[in-house]
Amino acid sequence: MIIFNNGKYKSILAAESGELAEIAQTVQKDKDFRPHFHITPLTGLMNDPNGLIFDGEKYHLFYQWFPFDAIHGMKHWKHLITKDFQHYQSADDLIPCELFESHGCYSGGALKVDDKLAMFYTGNTRRPSDNQRVPYQNLAIFDLDGKLLSKRPLIENAPEGYTEHVRDPKPYFTENGKIRFICGAQRENLTGTAIIFEMDNLEDTPRLLGELSLPAFDNTNVFMWECPDLLKLGDKDVFIWSPQGKDREAHQFQNNYHATYAVGKLTDLTFEAKYIGELDQGFDFYAPQTFGGLDNKTHSVLFAWIGLPDLTYPTDKFKWHSALTLPRELRLEGTKIYQRPIAKTYENLTALSTLHLDGKAEIADLDRAYVKFEANNRAFNLTFFQNEKGQSLRLSYENGLVCLDRNQSEQTELMEKFDSKRFCEMENLQTVEIFFDHSIVEIFFNHGEKAMTSRFFIANRSNIITTQHPLNLTFGYLPTIHFC
């Protein structure tokens, strides 16, 4: 075991006595933005969800974590176990302590193999002579109680024809029981793709089968595919991935990077897509991953990072950064994915009440509330919250277009760089559901036809809601999640 401690490439094993407790005290100074029912790091930065696996009884959830600051430093995998997505227990983390992960444990996925959990992940390393990145694809074995048993490298270096940007292995079983995993990759001509490896079993050496072909996707200007995820959903194949470099558009693909899905048929290495779309059209949604180990006959379950690469947030000064979405149920309506929070989320709603709003009202704990209303395909214009600085969050709909506007809220320079409005085309908007959680908003239209996930920052806010059109609103509240 090696204890790495080189600037931002610092392992949690190198933490000094009381260091993390002191950072936690800084985190607790944030009285405005820490969520109640979303998973956030105790300290430091979180990003991609990793290693999502249902072991037959419990759900194992990992996430990318740098515990020391709100920066992308040495990545660990923080490990949580839950049965109900309400109570979480810590288990063994994946901590970089070997040469094949010397600069961090990058993203990956999981597979249940007999009575073991196999975590496939990318080991980030750098060659000492010239600081060149050298990627490893690694395998860590856990037992069903969450104890780390072993880890080893599977592949050193990127395959011929690809740059050092080969990462994020997501495993799955073939119909004949072989193990495959798909990695995001960049070709030597600096275009993005995904490549697939195969193993006979966990002791085998992976063999490169080739690239995933996705003819229907416009890969123009895309320089990297991240976080690929191949799965069955009902009787269809689904491919979820995060292409980097895709041109931004007026009403979709509006962020600097995107989360995309394709629905169709996978034959050998060719994915014939019947539909390609964006998973979420808010400001902050990236690197989604579905759980392995589920039968996916009617739905799958997904987490995503409420954040984006290369962004800073106002909470960074409190030494914490980002959160995960609510667990979402994915189902197919024809060839399109619909997504909503899992059924358990709705079962946990309490203090449900209704209000006819015509003008302005103060709603108790609006900043941690569930809000639902029927739009009936009519225009609306809602303003949420206010403070002495005149800050607020706005949601409107007119002529088939939803607009989420955070212009009148606190933003960092990098947030402002990518504009302050996000749009979502909804030809026939009937139902709107909103989950507020202090600095997070997750919005679902028409029972999951479209979604918009975002951060927003309004300090010292009053829980005021204002409407320009009369509406009947339903309110409810979710309990705080618990960690032990």
Side-chain angles (χ1 to χ4, degrees), residues 28 42 47 51 57 61 75 77 133 139 171 184 205 245 257 284 303 311 313 321 358 365 421 436:
Q28 294 308 312
L42 291 176
N47 53 300
E57 177 185 357
L61 162 68
K75 296 300 176 69
W77 281 28
R133 186 198 307 265
L139 175 64
T205 299
Y257 300 130
D284 305 280
F303 274 100
L311 278 189
Y313 293 108
H321 181 104
D358 188 0
D365 297 316
K421 294 180 180 180
F436 286 116

Side-chain angles (χ1 to χ4, degrees), residues 7-202:
K8 70 176 185 178
Y9 295 108
K10 177 179 178 178
S11 160
I12 195 171
L13 301 174
E16 298 177 5
S17 177
E19 183 176 5
L20 292 175
E22 184 176 344
I23 297 170
Q25 290 179 359
T26 301
V27 173
Q28 294 308 312
K29 292 178 182 178
D30 180 1
K31 304 302 182 183
D32 289 304
F33 304 131
R34 290 283 286 176
H36 279 198
F37 52 84
H38 286 81
I39 296 173
T40 54
L42 291 176
T43 62
L45 180 142
M46 73 149 49
N47 53 300
D48 306 3
N50 290 151
L52 307 187
I53 187 72
F54 178 62
D55 68 13
E57 177 185 357
K58 308 176 296 299
Y59 296 88
H60 295 253
L61 162 68
F62 295 78
Y63 61 79
Q64 291 277 285
W65 181 42
F66 178 60
F68 296 103
D69 206 346
I71 63 172
H72 288 276
M74 174 77 91
K75 296 300 176 69
H76 304 59
W77 281 28
K78 181 62 182 174
H79 188 181
L80 300 172
I81 299 176
T82 183
K83 291 184 177 181
D84 59 6
F85 297 102
Q86 179 62 37
H87 302 86
Y88 290 88
Q89 178 182 353
S90 292
D92 282 0
D93 299 330
L94 191 59
I95 300 171
C97 62
E98 302 288 350
L99 290 177
F100 52 80
E101 53 190 8
S102 62
H103 290 68
C105 299
Y106 275 24
S107 289
L111 205 61
K112 181 176 182 288
V113 181
D114 299 324
D115 62 346
K116 299 293 187 293
L117 302 178
M119 303 296 165
F120 291 73
Y121 68 101
T122 298
N124 183 30
T125 76
R126 290 191 177 273
R127 194 161 52 213
S129 60
D130 57 4
N131 204 38
Q132 174 68 36
R133 186 198 307 265
V134 179
Y136 282 76
Q137 309 311 322
N138 299 329
L139 175 64
I141 303 297
F142 288 77
D143 66 20
L144 301 187
D145 292 325
K147 180 178 176 58
L148 175 64
L149 303 177
S150 65
K151 53 185 174 179
R152 68 181 178 92
L154 295 174
I155 304 170
E156 180 182 358
N157 286 310
E160 186 177 352
Y162 301 91
T163 74
E164 72 273 14
H165 294 289
V166 175
R167 54 180 175 267
D168 311 340
K170 178 69 190 291
Y172 59 97
F173 283 114
T174 65
E175 291 183 355
N176 60 1
K178 293 184 183 295
I179 296 170
R180 289 186 178 179
F181 58 91
I182 183 169
C183 291
Q186 183 185 69
R187 304 182 185 98
E188 287 184 342
N189 67 2
L190 306 186
T191 58
T193 188
I195 54 179
I196 297 177
F197 296 86
E198 185 174 87
M199 308 166 65
D200 291 337
N201 50 58
L202 292 179

